[in-house]
Amino acid sequence: VLEDIREINGMLLNGKRRTRSELKAQYYPIWNFDHIQCEEDNPWNKWGPERLEDDESVRARAHAALVWIWERPERDIALVAHGGIFNLLTNGHPLVEVGPGVNNRFGNCELRNCLLSVSSIGEEETRFRLELAS
């Protein structure tokens, strides 16, 4: 479970998660919760029930998730998330170039097979390309 690829934080209750210990009690060992740093949902609480996380923050988290994925030894990885974060990742992200069809809005429970590649690695940022796999 990777906190960086979760849904947009704040305001919307569907973006709030249970405590780390509740999740672990229900889903461990099937799911690994080592990458959730805090017990409480501090990322959601930071934005609170009155406002949504800004697009820049969401895009930064999504990019961090791609960096984490890129550095994994596995080559086939399932990335499961809500459509809001995928929308901000694939539409107008300055560090993510997408091929045709990648940036279409996801339908409920839709699956897409994509290829992730690095287009450039800079000192402070990595640029990615996402394309639909054939």
Side-chain angles (χ1 to χ4, degrees), residues 1 5 8 20 25 40 49 51 80 82 91 110 115 117 121:
V1 177
I5 201 65
I8 299 165
R20 184 177 185 266
E40 298 299 322
R51 62 190 178 123
V80 180
H82 286 265
N91 285 285
E110 180 181 350
L115 299 173
S117 60
I121 299 176

Side-chain angles (χ1 to χ4, degrees), residues 13-14 19 21 23 28 35 38 45 57 65-66 69 72 76 81 83-85 87-89 108 113-114 130 134:
L13 194 54
N14 71 331
T19 65
S21 58
L23 292 170
Y28 184 81
H35 296 287
C38 51
N45 292 335
S57 175
L66 288 184
I69 289 166
R72 299 289 306 161
D76 295 314
I85 196 163
N87 185 50
L88 289 170
L89 176 65
N108 193 28
N113 189 6
C114 294
L130 274 170
S134 47

Side-chain angles (χ1 to χ4, degrees), residues 3 6-18 41 43-45 52-53 61 82:
E3 193 95 75
R6 66 181 288 172
E7 183 58 309
I8 299 165
N9 286 301
M11 198 162 82
L12 303 174
L13 194 54
N14 71 331
K16 185 167 177 55
R17 72 164 166 82
R18 292 184 221 146
D41 192 359
W44 190 90
N45 292 335
L52 279 176
E53 181 179 10
R61 287 192 298 104
H82 286 265

Side-chain angles (χ1 to χ4, degrees), residues 91-122:
N91 285 285
H93 194 299
L95 299 174
V96 180
E97 179 185 351
V98 298
V102 173
N103 62 344
N104 294 346
R105 181 78 179 165
F106 274 80
N108 193 28
C109 298
E110 180 181 350
L111 298 174
R112 290 189 193 155
N113 189 6
C114 294
L115 299 173
L116 176 67
S117 60
V118 168
S119 58
S120 71
I121 299 176

Side-chain angles (χ1 to χ4, degrees), residues 28-49:
Y28 184 81
I30 298 168
W31 295 99
N32 179 325
F33 296 93
D34 291 347
H35 296 287
I36 294 181
Q37 300 301 315
C38 51
E39 173 67 15
E40 298 299 322
D41 192 359
N42 294 343
W44 190 90
N45 292 335
K46 173 185 173 186
W47 298 94

